[in-house]
Amino acid sequence: MKHIKLYSIIALSLFLALMSCGNKQEDVAASQQAPPAPFPVTQLEKKTVTGYQEYPTNLEGIVNSAVRAKTSGYIQKVLVDEGQKVRKGQVLFKLETQSLNQDAGAAKARVNVAQVEIDKLTPLVEKNIISAVQLETAKANLAQAKANYSSVSANIGYATITSPVNGFVGTIKYREGSLVSPNDSNPLTTVSDISEVYAFFSLNESQYLDFLQNADGKDLEEKLANFSDVNLVLANGSSYTEKGKIQTSSGQINQNTGTVSLRAVFKNPNQLLTNGNSGKIQIPTVYENAVVIPQEATFEQQGNIMLYKLGEDNKVTTVIIKVKAAIDNLYVVASGVDEKDTIIVSGVGKLRDGMAITPQETSFDEAVKPIATLFKN
């Protein structure tokens, strides 16, 4: 009985071993017969796209007029408030004039005294009783008294401080009771015309050369006139509705900063923009009929941007591409592929050079469509 059991165990083991070998052979055969993995592919097309270079900017009203006292005195009244719209000539501040009125009275009295002296000396000179020199001296004293009186009268006029331009009142730095003078470092306020605003920004030397080369015209003035409108991105990330125009350029490189200063102007009908606003200027560059590829189709290796191109027998080959610009989710291609090539659109991390795939045709428009953002910070 022991021998029979031993034979049974040996037979069972052989049977299981044979079954295992059969299963492995079936698995190998099945793997050999499985088709290559599927990957989405698309044939490249040319497309016109617009890219933007961004530059930090600061905004100012087209007119910023500092309002200063022309005479010393205490502020008696502040007749406007910050942010108020004012017209040219409107009274903003009144200074206390009591002491000035007293000075004016004294100056007027000196004028009268000098006039009386002339009236007294004139007949005496005519009768040759006294020298004409005395009369001339009296006339000089009268002229000086009148000049002093005019100066004091002007100071009384200066005590009424008006707006030099149409615009909006800025920060009021002095209030009623403050002593002000023409020598104060800070103005009383600033009145700004913000119907239009200037956006100041800078380009480095290389960027400035690119800017000039992309603009049509024979000289700087013509290039600026012909250059495309620019965009303004506000501090909160939103795009300003009005387009801007680059008006001026310093045309010279600042030796300290290595940059060239430019100024763009934007209309400001709703007074959304004001002095001190910051943002970014976007200068457009249009790439017409350019070969573009989705960035998702590429990978980097040793500093090179690469992609997989579909070749014969549905085998993929790696290609190094040169990129002109990155715009949103796309690369604008300078060299490496052309519009006749078919590339693998996604999943490139799973591919190896020479690997066979099962192509899944994808339309070019679908391939280059931006991926929707599911979550935002």
Side-chain angles (χ1 to χ4, degrees):
M1 290 294 292
K2 289 181 180 180
H3 292 295
I4 295 172
K5 290 180 178 180
L6 181 59
Y7 292 146
S8 299
I9 292 171
I10 292 171
L12 180 59
S13 298
L14 290 172
F15 174 75
L16 293 174
L18 290 172
M19 289 292 293
S20 177
C21 289
N23 289 339
K24 287 181 180 179
Q25 291 176 351
E26 290 177 2
D27 290 343
V28 170
S31 65
Q32 291 176 344
Q33 295 175 359
F39 285 86
V41 301
T42 192
Q43 183 173 346
L44 296 179
E45 298 177 9
K46 288 188 175 180
K47 189 177 181 72
T48 296
V49 292
T50 302
Y52 295 93
Q53 292 290 331
E54 294 187 342
Y55 306 93
T57 185
N58 293 311
L59 305 181
E60 291 183 10
I62 57 172
V63 175
N64 290 299
S65 185
V67 178
R68 295 182 179 275
K70 292 184 179 181
T71 187
S72 298
Y74 290 95
I75 296 178
Q76 188 178 59
K77 289 183 180 180
V78 179
L79 301 172
V80 292
D81 203 355
E82 295 174 350
Q84 182 176 335
K85 186 175 182 179
V86 295
R87 66 186 183 280
K88 182 178 180 179
Q90 181 174 339
V91 178
L92 308 180
F93 303 91
K94 279 187 174 293
L95 303 185
E96 180 271 322
T97 59
Q98 182 177 354
S99 60
L100 291 175
N101 289 333
Q102 292 173 351
D103 292 342
K108 180 64 175 174
R110 285 192 289 271
V111 170
N112 293 336
V113 168
Q115 184 64 55
V116 168
E117 182 70 10
I118 290 174
D119 294 342
K120 182 180 72 173
L121 295 176
T122 299
L124 296 176
V125 171
E126 291 174 349
K127 296 177 181 180
N128 294 320
I129 298 175
I130 63 173
S131 170
V133 174
Q134 288 181 274
L135 180 59
E136 293 303 320
T137 301
K139 289 180 178 180
N141 290 336
L142 176 61
Q144 183 177 3
K146 287 182 176 180
N148 290 337
Y149 177 68
S150 296
S151 177
V152 174
S153 298
N155 285 337
I156 293 175
Y158 293 153
T160 300
I161 301 171
T162 60
S163 176
V165 294
N166 297 327
F168 291 83
V169 177
T171 301
I172 297 176
K173 300 182 182 295
Y174 300 93
R175 294 290 175 177
E176 293 178 5
S178 299
L179 176 63
V180 296
S181 78
N183 299 322
D184 291 334
S185 57
N186 292 321
L188 301 178
T189 189
T190 300
V191 178
S192 301
D193 180 357
I194 55 173
S195 58
E196 294 182 324
V197 295
Y198 289 142
F200 297 92
F201 62 103
S202 299
L203 307 182
N204 63 36
E205 185 175 359
S206 175
Q207 293 166 338
Y208 186 62
L209 289 173
D210 289 341
F211 167 78
L212 293 179
Q213 290 171 348
N214 289 329
D216 297 328
K218 62 178 183 293
D219 55 28
L220 178 58
E221 183 179 359
E222 197 170 304
K223 287 177 180 291
L224 290 173
N226 293 335
F227 198 76
S228 304
D229 291 344
V230 296
N231 298 331
L232 175 63
V233 179
L234 303 178
N236 63 0
S238 63
S239 295
Y240 186 55
T241 54
E242 300 285 339
K243 298 289 185 181
K245 190 72 178 174
I246 297 178
Q247 283 189 329
T248 64
S249 165
S250 66
Q252 296 181 347
I253 298 191
N254 186 310
Q255 296 299 318
N256 295 323
T257 63
T259 59
V260 179
S261 298
L262 292 94
R263 186 187 77 196
V265 63
F266 290 83
K267 293 184 182 301
N268 190 27
N270 300 318
Q271 282 78 53
L272 177 65
L273 308 177
T274 189
N275 283 328
N277 279 152
S278 62
K280 294 178 181 178
I281 289 290
Q282 287 185 332
I283 296 181
T285 301
V286 179
Y287 299 92
E288 294 186 358
N289 295 321
V291 175
V292 297
I293 58 172
Q295 294 184 22
E296 188 185 8
T298 66
F299 62 98
E300 289 193 25
Q301 192 174 84
Q302 297 180 348
N304 294 317
I305 299 177
M306 309 180 75
L307 55 73
Y308 285 103
K309 185 167 66 171
L310 188 64
E312 295 181 0
D313 301 325
N314 290 334
K315 291 183 177 180
V316 299
T317 55
T318 54
V319 176
I320 297 175
I321 63 170
K322 300 296 182 184
V323 172
K324 287 183 182 179
I327 301 175
D328 297 329
N329 66 316
L330 304 176
Y331 281 136
V332 180
V333 179
S335 63
V337 289
D338 58 39
E339 59 183 320
K340 297 178 182 178
D341 290 325
T342 298
I343 66 169
I344 286 71
V345 175
S346 62
V348 294
K350 300 176 183 178
L351 296 174
R352 296 294 179 270
D353 197 36
M355 178 177 170
I357 66 167
T358 299
Q360 289 185 327
E361 294 290 339
T362 303
S363 71
F364 180 74
D365 289 340
E366 184 68 24
V368 299
K369 185 168 66 175
I371 299 173
T373 302
L374 297 180
F375 301 99
K376 294 183 178 180
N377 292 332

